[in-house]
Amino acid sequence: MAAGIRDKVAILGMGCSKFGERWDSGPEDLMVEAYLEAMQDAGIEPTQLDAAWFSTHIDEVGTGKGGTPMSLALRLPNIAVTRVENFCAGGSEAFRGAVYAVASGAADIAIALGVEKLKDTGYGGLPTGQAGTLLPQVSPNGSAPGNFAQLASAYRAKHGVSRDDLKRAIAHVSVKSHANGAKNPKAHLQKAVTEEQVLNAPMIAEPLGLFDCCGVSDGAAAAIVTTPEIARSLGKRNLTTVKALQLAVSNGMESQYNGWDGSYFHTARIAASKAYREAGIERPREQISMMEVHDCFSVTELVTMEDLHISAEGQGWKDVMNGFYDADGQIPCQIDGGLKCFGHPIGASGLRMLYEMYLQLQGRAGERQLSNPVFGMTHNLGGSPSTNVCSVAIVGQEGA
């Protein structure tokens, strides 16, 4: 019977590039930026790395196929490098590979790295899911904003939320995230916004306005993992360990049958439930200290609060308005600014989320630092509401 990986793997070090319009840097530069920070944090030499997992989504911008781009850019010592991709959850998938390698005993020390250079592709996020000038523009079934706007409409209809109440709740999500991102020097967008600005911004897809959609940016993030025993032998104390790591993938239920009403993420509910069991968490609303969720659109964050079993079904919008997820609330969400302020370099986002949880648990988040966090959770979604993959990771203080 599988027992899970709780406390079998520790994060030895992490790194994250500055996210933004990095016209001055290629993907190799961004990889090096995140890698050097992670290696310095881990306090190891390249020869101590046993294996690597590499996440990137659009490979027409110099990164190419396979694992060689990461190995070449970082001059890795001829170790195995596995390239992974799982829609927007690729960064989490790379982390999963590295963690499982260590937990199984196949590697003593492994690295996961994700990178994306979206700005160079000409991809503007609208109106299709195709990369801008590098790939032919084909007519899709729907745009990303349109798909997630339908999520908002379904949620409002199911739970009887008025149009104005839901718009204000979505706006509060955006305002909260921008306030947090303003304190983060690595975020793409570092400017607070008001509710009035959000509500009066140009409409993209009703009810999602300009400030309710995450931006397009470049970035990279990396994590180095090992066993707690090896981490302690290297002089590490106050370890951050992996409590749970779960992935759920759509099987057609949402898009091919009539049992799904479009108001929630089925995979997120499954992955979250499995992650809590693996981590030994029975009361997530009381036990989770902080979260980073996949806020590609602000309504996604709101709905996800319920799918993660933090807010009661149909009550997430009220918790948002009551400040439950604000920086000074009970469970701060997107304390680093989230995708809303970092943008979404596809291959890097999952690892960027973990980077903030790691900094917080290590007490190194600067003016964003929360008081005594114990468990941090990340939720990384890939695809659309109707067909997606969902990764949920829980990290925390060793022994918690």
Side-chain angles (χ1 to χ4, degrees):
M1 186 71 176
I5 59 170
R6 181 181 180 184
D7 287 334
K8 293 181 180 178
V9 179
I11 299 177
L12 191 60
M14 290 200 73
C16 182
S17 75
K18 170 76 171 67
F19 278 43
E21 296 184 340
R22 298 294 302 270
W23 302 111
D24 60 328
S25 304
E28 299 83 4
D29 300 301
L30 299 180
M31 283 192 268
V32 169
E33 197 173 319
Y35 170 75
L36 290 179
E37 182 185 352
M39 291 292 285
Q40 183 177 11
D41 186 25
I44 61 172
E45 298 297 325
T47 53
Q48 293 173 271
L49 294 171
D50 293 321
W53 275 260
F54 173 50
S55 166
T56 189
H57 183 68
I58 298 174
D59 55 26
E60 286 79 9
V61 196
T63 50
K65 300 286 188 182
T68 51
M70 179 179 175
S71 189
L72 289 169
L74 306 182
R75 296 293 187 262
L76 296 177
N78 301 116
I79 60 175
V81 182
T82 302
R83 182 194 168 189
V84 296
E85 181 203 340
N86 216 340
F87 288 113
C88 302
S92 295
E93 189 73 351
F95 186 70
R96 190 167 72 110
V99 166
Y100 279 9
V102 168
S104 71
D108 284 336
I109 302 177
I111 182 171
L113 183 145
V115 66
E116 211 74 61
K117 277 288 293 176
L118 283 185
K119 299 303 295 187
D120 295 57
T121 71
Y123 175 58
L126 297 170
T128 78
Q130 299 292 332
T133 56
L134 292 178
L135 292 177
Q137 293 293 295
V138 298
S139 177
N141 292 326
S143 69
N147 289 337
F148 285 84
Q150 291 181 61
L151 172 72
S153 297
Y155 180 90
R156 185 164 72 85
K158 180 177 182 178
H159 299 299
V161 184
S162 73
R163 177 180 178 276
D164 288 345
D165 281 345
L166 186 60
K167 283 180 71 74
R168 288 184 60 243
I170 293 172
H172 187 93
V173 169
S174 302
V175 171
K176 173 264 302 172
S177 294
H178 274 274
N180 295 341
K183 299 178 181 179
N184 195 329
K186 290 194 175 185
H188 184 168
L189 305 176
Q190 300 173 33
K191 186 176 181 180
V193 297
T194 66
E195 181 178 300
E196 182 181 11
Q197 284 178 291
V198 175
L199 291 174
N200 292 324
M203 187 60 61
I204 304 299
E206 174 67 27
L208 305 177
L210 180 64
F211 287 103
D212 302 318
C213 309
C214 83
V216 174
S217 49
D218 306 324
I224 299 171
V225 295
T226 188
T227 65
E229 294 76 18
I230 292 174
R232 283 191 287 271
S233 75
L234 293 171
K236 297 292 184 178
R237 300 294 181 267
N238 303 316
L239 298 184
T240 296
T241 58
V242 180
K243 307 295 182 180
L245 189 52
Q246 292 289 333
L247 184 77
V249 182
S250 292
N251 65 359
M253 184 280 289
E254 302 98 326
S255 58
Q256 298 172 10
Y257 297 88
N258 61 3
W260 178 66
D261 60 18
S263 69
Y264 65 97
F265 293 92
H266 182 62
T267 55
R269 296 184 175 191
I270 294 172
S273 295
K274 289 182 176 180
Y276 293 141
R277 285 197 297 272
E278 186 174 24
I281 290 175
E282 298 178 350
R283 305 177 312 282
R285 188 176 173 93
E286 300 172 24
Q287 293 175 269
I288 296 296
S289 307
M290 54 192 173
M291 299 189 298
E292 289 284 318
V293 305
H294 198 98
D295 58 323
C296 48
F297 301 92
S298 295
V299 69
T300 315
E301 177 178 332
L302 185 154
V303 170
T304 296
M305 305 308 186
E306 300 177 16
D307 295 333
L308 295 178
H309 313 297
I310 303 295
S311 292
E313 188 169 355
Q315 302 300 306
W317 69 277
K318 294 181 181 178
D319 280 343
V320 165
M321 293 304 295
N322 290 335
F324 187 87
Y325 299 106
D326 289 359
D328 58 355
Q330 186 167 332
I331 304 181
C333 186
Q334 321 301 60
I335 192 63
D336 68 347
L339 273 72
K340 186 67 199 66
C341 292
F342 271 82
H344 182 25
I346 302 168
S349 288
L351 285 160
R352 189 273 304 159
M353 297 177 186
L354 283 160
Y355 178 75
E356 179 65 19
M357 298 295 92
Y358 172 73
L359 289 182
Q360 291 284 346
L361 289 163
Q362 291 288 307
R364 290 158 37 193
E367 61 177 315
R368 305 184 309 281
Q369 183 63 49
L370 302 174
S371 177
N372 301 315
V374 177
F375 293 112
M377 178 166 60
T378 65
H379 158 273
N380 193 194
L381 180 77
S384 68
S386 62
T387 307
N388 58 71
V389 299
C390 178
S391 175
V392 173
I394 300 174
V395 294
Q397 298 172 0
E398 185 183 23

PDB file of all heavy atoms in Angstrom, residues 255-274:
ATOM      1  N   SER A 255     -15.950  17.561 -20.225  1.00  0.00           N
ATOM      2  CA  SER A 255     -16.267  18.041 -21.571  1.00  0.00           C
ATOM      3  C   SER A 255     -17.118  17.080 -22.395  1.00  0.00           C
ATOM      4  O   SER A 255     -17.680  17.476 -23.414  1.00  0.00           O
ATOM      5  CB  SER A 255     -14.969  18.334 -22.334  1.00  0.00           C
ATOM      6  OG  SER A 255     -14.155  17.175 -22.416  1.00  0.00           O
ATOM      7  N   GLN A 256     -17.220  15.836 -21.973  1.00  0.00           N
ATOM      8  CA  GLN A 256     -17.890  14.842 -22.813  1.00  0.00           C
ATOM      9  C   GLN A 256     -19.155  14.251 -22.195  1.00  0.00           C
ATOM     10  O   GLN A 256     -19.812  13.418 -22.814  1.00  0.00           O
ATOM     11  CB  GLN A 256     -16.899  13.720 -23.149  1.00  0.00           C
ATOM     12  CG  GLN A 256     -15.703  14.233 -23.950  1.00  0.00           C
ATOM     13  CD  GLN A 256     -14.616  13.193 -24.138  1.00  0.00           C
ATOM     14  OE1 GLN A 256     -14.812  12.028 -23.832  1.00  0.00           O
ATOM     15  NE2 GLN A 256     -13.464  13.612 -24.631  1.00  0.00           N
ATOM     16  N   TYR A 257     -19.470  14.657 -20.987  1.00  0.00           N
ATOM     17  CA  TYR A 257     -20.683  14.165 -20.332  1.00  0.00           C
ATOM     18  C   TYR A 257     -21.468  15.362 -19.788  1.00  0.00           C
ATOM     19  O   TYR A 257     -21.008  16.500 -19.868  1.00  0.00           O
ATOM     20  CB  TYR A 257     -20.322  13.186 -19.197  1.00  0.00           C
ATOM     21  CG  TYR A 257     -19.623  11.944 -19.683  1.00  0.00           C
ATOM     22  CD1 TYR A 257     -18.232  11.917 -19.821  1.00  0.00           C
ATOM     23  CD2 TYR A 257     -20.336  10.806 -20.034  1.00  0.00           C
ATOM     24  CE1 TYR A 257     -17.583  10.788 -20.277  1.00  0.00           C
ATOM     25  CE2 TYR A 257     -19.692   9.659 -20.491  1.00  0.00           C
ATOM     26  CZ  TYR A 257     -18.315   9.671 -20.620  1.00  0.00           C
ATOM     27  OH  TYR A 257     -17.671   8.544 -21.083  1.00  0.00           O
ATOM     28  N   ASN A 258     -22.620  15.113 -19.217  1.00  0.00           N
ATOM     29  CA  ASN A 258     -23.443  16.227 -18.747  1.00  0.00           C
ATOM     30  C   ASN A 258     -23.483  16.337 -17.223  1.00  0.00           C
ATOM     31  O   ASN A 258     -24.339  16.992 -16.663  1.00  0.00           O
ATOM     32  CB  ASN A 258     -24.875  16.106 -19.298  1.00  0.00           C
ATOM     33  CG  ASN A 258     -25.570  14.823 -18.841  1.00  0.00           C
ATOM     34  OD1 ASN A 258     -25.015  14.048 -18.067  1.00  0.00           O
ATOM     35  ND2 ASN A 258     -26.778  14.598 -19.347  1.00  0.00           N
ATOM     36  N   GLY A 259     -22.524  15.695 -16.538  1.00  0.00           N
ATOM     37  CA  GLY A 259     -22.525  15.733 -15.081  1.00  0.00           C
ATOM     38  C   GLY A 259     -21.796  16.916 -14.496  1.00  0.00           C
ATOM     39  O   GLY A 259     -21.871  17.163 -13.285  1.00  0.00           O
ATOM     40  N   TRP A 260     -21.080  17.668 -15.343  1.00  0.00           N
ATOM     41  CA  TRP A 260     -20.295  18.816 -14.865  1.00  0.00           C
ATOM     42  C   TRP A 260     -21.003  20.100 -15.251  1.00  0.00           C
ATOM     43  O   TRP A 260     -21.412  20.263 -16.407  1.00  0.00           O
ATOM     44  CB  TRP A 260     -18.892  18.769 -15.473  1.00  0.00           C
ATOM     45  CG  TRP A 260     -17.996  19.907 -15.101  1.00  0.00           C
ATOM     46  CD1 TRP A 260     -17.491  20.198 -13.870  1.00  0.00           C
ATOM     47  CD2 TRP A 260     -17.453  20.907 -15.994  1.00  0.00           C
ATOM     48  NE1 TRP A 260     -16.680  21.304 -13.927  1.00  0.00           N
ATOM     49  CE2 TRP A 260     -16.639  21.763 -15.218  1.00  0.00           C
ATOM     50  CE3 TRP A 260     -17.586  21.158 -17.363  1.00  0.00           C
ATOM     51  CZ2 TRP A 260     -15.965  22.847 -15.769  1.00  0.00           C
ATOM     52  CZ3 TRP A 260     -16.909  22.228 -17.911  1.00  0.00           C
ATOM     53  CH2 TRP A 260     -16.106  23.060 -17.118  1.00  0.00           C
ATOM     54  N   ASP A 261     -21.177  21.010 -14.306  1.00  0.00           N
ATOM     55  CA  ASP A 261     -21.949  22.224 -14.586  1.00  0.00           C
ATOM     56  C   ASP A 261     -21.091  23.435 -14.934  1.00  0.00           C
ATOM     57  O   ASP A 261     -21.609  24.538 -15.111  1.00  0.00           O
ATOM     58  CB  ASP A 261     -22.859  22.557 -13.397  1.00  0.00           C
ATOM     59  CG  ASP A 261     -22.088  22.808 -12.105  1.00  0.00           C
ATOM     60  OD1 ASP A 261     -20.865  23.062 -12.167  1.00  0.00           O
ATOM     61  OD2 ASP A 261     -22.718  22.761 -11.028  1.00  0.00           O
ATOM     62  N   GLY A 262     -19.776  23.257 -15.031  1.00  0.00           N
ATOM     63  CA  GLY A 262     -18.899  24.346 -15.462  1.00  0.00           C
ATOM     64  C   GLY A 262     -18.525  25.346 -14.397  1.00  0.00           C
ATOM     65  O   GLY A 262     -17.862  26.341 -14.688  1.00  0.00           O
ATOM     66  N   SER A 263     -18.914  25.101 -13.133  1.00  0.00           N
ATOM     67  CA  SER A 263     -18.707  26.105 -12.082  1.00  0.00           C
ATOM     68  C   SER A 263     -17.508  25.823 -11.189  1.00  0.00           C
ATOM     69  O   SER A 263     -17.241  26.584 -10.265  1.00  0.00           O
ATOM     70  CB  SER A 263     -19.956  26.190 -11.205  1.00  0.00           C
ATOM     71  OG  SER A 263     -20.116  25.011 -10.434  1.00  0.00           O
ATOM     72  N   TYR A 264     -16.777  24.738 -11.448  1.00  0.00           N
ATOM     73  CA  TYR A 264     -15.676  24.354 -10.563  1.00  0.00           C
ATOM     74  C   TYR A 264     -14.667  23.523 -11.349  1.00  0.00           C
ATOM     75  O   TYR A 264     -14.896  23.162 -12.508  1.00  0.00           O
ATOM     76  CB  TYR A 264     -16.201  23.545  -9.368  1.00  0.00           C
ATOM     77  CG  TYR A 264     -16.802  22.203  -9.748  1.00  0.00           C
ATOM     78  CD1 TYR A 264     -16.054  21.034  -9.672  1.00  0.00           C
ATOM     79  CD2 TYR A 264     -18.117  22.105 -10.202  1.00  0.00           C
ATOM     80  CE1 TYR A 264     -16.597  19.803 -10.030  1.00  0.00           C
ATOM     81  CE2 TYR A 264     -18.668  20.888 -10.561  1.00  0.00           C
ATOM     82  CZ  TYR A 264     -17.900  19.738 -10.476  1.00  0.00           C
ATOM     83  OH  TYR A 264     -18.443  18.531 -10.850  1.00  0.00           O
ATOM     84  N   PHE A 265     -13.529  23.219 -10.690  1.00  0.00           N
ATOM     85  CA  PHE A 265     -12.486  22.396 -11.301  1.00  0.00           C
ATOM     86  C   PHE A 265     -12.499  21.026 -10.632  1.00  0.00           C
ATOM     87  O   PHE A 265     -12.078  20.882  -9.479  1.00  0.00           O
ATOM     88  CB  PHE A 265     -11.109  23.061 -11.142  1.00  0.00           C
ATOM     89  CG  PHE A 265     -10.962  24.331 -11.921  1.00  0.00           C
ATOM     90  CD1 PHE A 265     -11.266  25.556 -11.333  1.00  0.00           C
ATOM     91  CD2 PHE A 265     -10.537  24.320 -13.234  1.00  0.00           C
ATOM     92  CE1 PHE A 265     -11.137  26.734 -12.039  1.00  0.00           C
ATOM     93  CE2 PHE A 265     -10.404  25.498 -13.960  1.00  0.00           C
ATOM     94  CZ  PHE A 265     -10.707  26.703 -13.358  1.00  0.00           C
ATOM     95  N   HIS A 266     -12.967  20.046 -11.369  1.00  0.00           N
ATOM     96  CA  HIS A 266     -13.088  18.693 -10.839  1.00  0.00           C
ATOM     97  C   HIS A 266     -11.728  18.139 -10.413  1.00  0.00           C
ATOM     98  O   HIS A 266     -11.592  17.509  -9.346  1.00  0.00           O
ATOM     99  CB  HIS A 266     -13.726  17.801 -11.902  1.00  0.00           C
ATOM    100  CG  HIS A 266     -13.955  16.387 -11.477  1.00  0.00           C
ATOM    101  ND1 HIS A 266     -14.788  16.050 -10.434  1.00  0.00           N
ATOM    102  CD2 HIS A 266     -13.443  15.212 -11.961  1.00  0.00           C
ATOM    103  CE1 HIS A 266     -14.801  14.737 -10.284  1.00  0.00           C
ATOM    104  NE2 HIS A 266     -13.996  14.204 -11.196  1.00  0.00           N
ATOM    105  N   THR A 267     -10.707  18.358 -11.226  1.00  0.00           N
ATOM    106  CA  THR A 267      -9.380  17.807 -10.935  1.00  0.00           C
ATOM    107  C   THR A 267      -8.782  18.425  -9.679  1.00  0.00           C
ATOM    108  O   THR A 267      -8.081  17.751  -8.924  1.00  0.00           O
ATOM    109  CB  THR A 267      -8.427  18.037 -12.110  1.00  0.00           C
ATOM    110  OG1 THR A 267      -8.401  19.444 -12.432  1.00  0.00           O
ATOM    111  CG2 THR A 267      -8.861  17.248 -13.340  1.00  0.00           C
ATOM    112  N   ALA A 268      -9.046  19.716  -9.448  1.00  0.00           N
ATOM    113  CA  ALA A 268      -8.492  20.372  -8.264  1.00  0.00           C
ATOM    114  C   ALA A 268      -9.050  19.756  -6.985  1.00  0.00           C
ATOM    115  O   ALA A 268      -8.332  19.591  -5.990  1.00  0.00           O
ATOM    116  CB  ALA A 268      -8.799  21.868  -8.296  1.00  0.00           C
ATOM    117  N   ARG A 269     -10.323  19.406  -7.000  1.00  0.00           N
ATOM    118  CA  ARG A 269     -10.933  18.799  -5.818  1.00  0.00           C
ATOM    119  C   ARG A 269     -10.308  17.436  -5.524  1.00  0.00           C
ATOM    120  O   ARG A 269     -10.067  17.093  -4.354  1.00  0.00           O
ATOM    121  CB  ARG A 269     -12.446  18.667  -6.026  1.00  0.00           C
ATOM    122  CG  ARG A 269     -13.129  20.011  -6.161  1.00  0.00           C
ATOM    123  CD  ARG A 269     -14.644  19.900  -6.271  1.00  0.00           C
ATOM    124  NE  ARG A 269     -15.247  21.233  -6.290  1.00  0.00           N
ATOM    125  CZ  ARG A 269     -16.545  21.462  -6.174  1.00  0.00           C
ATOM    126  NH1 ARG A 269     -17.392  20.453  -6.046  1.00  0.00           N
ATOM    127  NH2 ARG A 269     -17.009  22.707  -6.191  1.00  0.00           N
ATOM    128  N   ILE A 270     -10.022  16.684  -6.568  1.00  0.00           N
ATOM    129  CA  ILE A 270      -9.421  15.363  -6.386  1.00  0.00           C
ATOM    130  C   ILE A 270      -7.980  15.493  -5.894  1.00  0.00           C
ATOM    131  O   ILE A 270      -7.576  14.844  -4.919  1.00  0.00           O
ATOM    132  CB  ILE A 270      -9.477  14.573  -7.702  1.00  0.00           C
ATOM    133  CG1 ILE A 270     -10.931  14.262  -8.064  1.00  0.00           C
ATOM    134  CG2 ILE A 270      -8.656  13.292  -7.609  1.00  0.00           C
ATOM    135  CD1 ILE A 270     -11.105  13.657  -9.435  1.00  0.00           C
ATOM    136  N   ALA A 271      -7.180  16.329  -6.574  1.00  0.00           N
ATOM    137  CA  ALA A 271      -5.772  16.483  -6.197  1.00  0.00           C
ATOM    138  C   ALA A 271      -5.636  17.022  -4.779  1.00  0.00           C
ATOM    139  O   ALA A 271      -4.761  16.584  -4.016  1.00  0.00           O
ATOM    140  CB  ALA A 271      -5.062  17.403  -7.189  1.00  0.00           C
ATOM    141  N   ALA A 272      -6.492  17.980  -4.404  1.00  0.00           N
ATOM    142  CA  ALA A 272      -6.416  18.558  -3.063  1.00  0.00           C
ATOM    143  C   ALA A 272      -6.738  17.516  -1.998  1.00  0.00           C
ATOM    144  O   ALA A 272      -6.043  17.410  -0.981  1.00  0.00           O
ATOM    145  CB  ALA A 272      -7.366  19.740  -2.946  1.00  0.00           C
ATOM    146  N   SER A 273      -7.786  16.744  -2.215  1.00  0.00           N
ATOM    147  CA  SER A 273      -8.171  15.726  -1.235  1.00  0.00           C
ATOM    148  C   SER A 273      -7.055  14.709  -1.039  1.00  0.00           C
ATOM    149  O   SER A 273      -6.733  14.314   0.095  1.00  0.00           O
ATOM    150  CB  SER A 273      -9.453  15.019  -1.685  1.00  0.00           C
ATOM    151  OG  SER A 273     -10.544  15.912  -1.701  1.00  0.00           O
ATOM    152  N   LYS A 274      -6.436  14.273  -2.137  1.00  0.00           N
ATOM    153  CA  LYS A 274      -5.335  13.318  -2.042  1.00  0.00           C
ATOM    154  C   LYS A 274      -4.124  13.940  -1.341  1.00  0.00           C
ATOM    155  O   LYS A 274      -3.443  13.273  -0.547  1.00  0.00           O
ATOM    156  CB  LYS A 274      -4.939  12.831  -3.435  1.00  0.00           C
ATOM    157  CG  LYS A 274      -5.964  11.918  -4.092  1.00  0.00           C
ATOM    158  CD  LYS A 274      -5.471  11.439  -5.448  1.00  0.00           C
ATOM    159  CE  LYS A 274      -6.447  10.450  -6.076  1.00  0.00           C
ATOM    160  NZ  LYS A 274      -5.979   9.978  -7.410  1.00  0.00           N
TER     161      LYS A 274
END
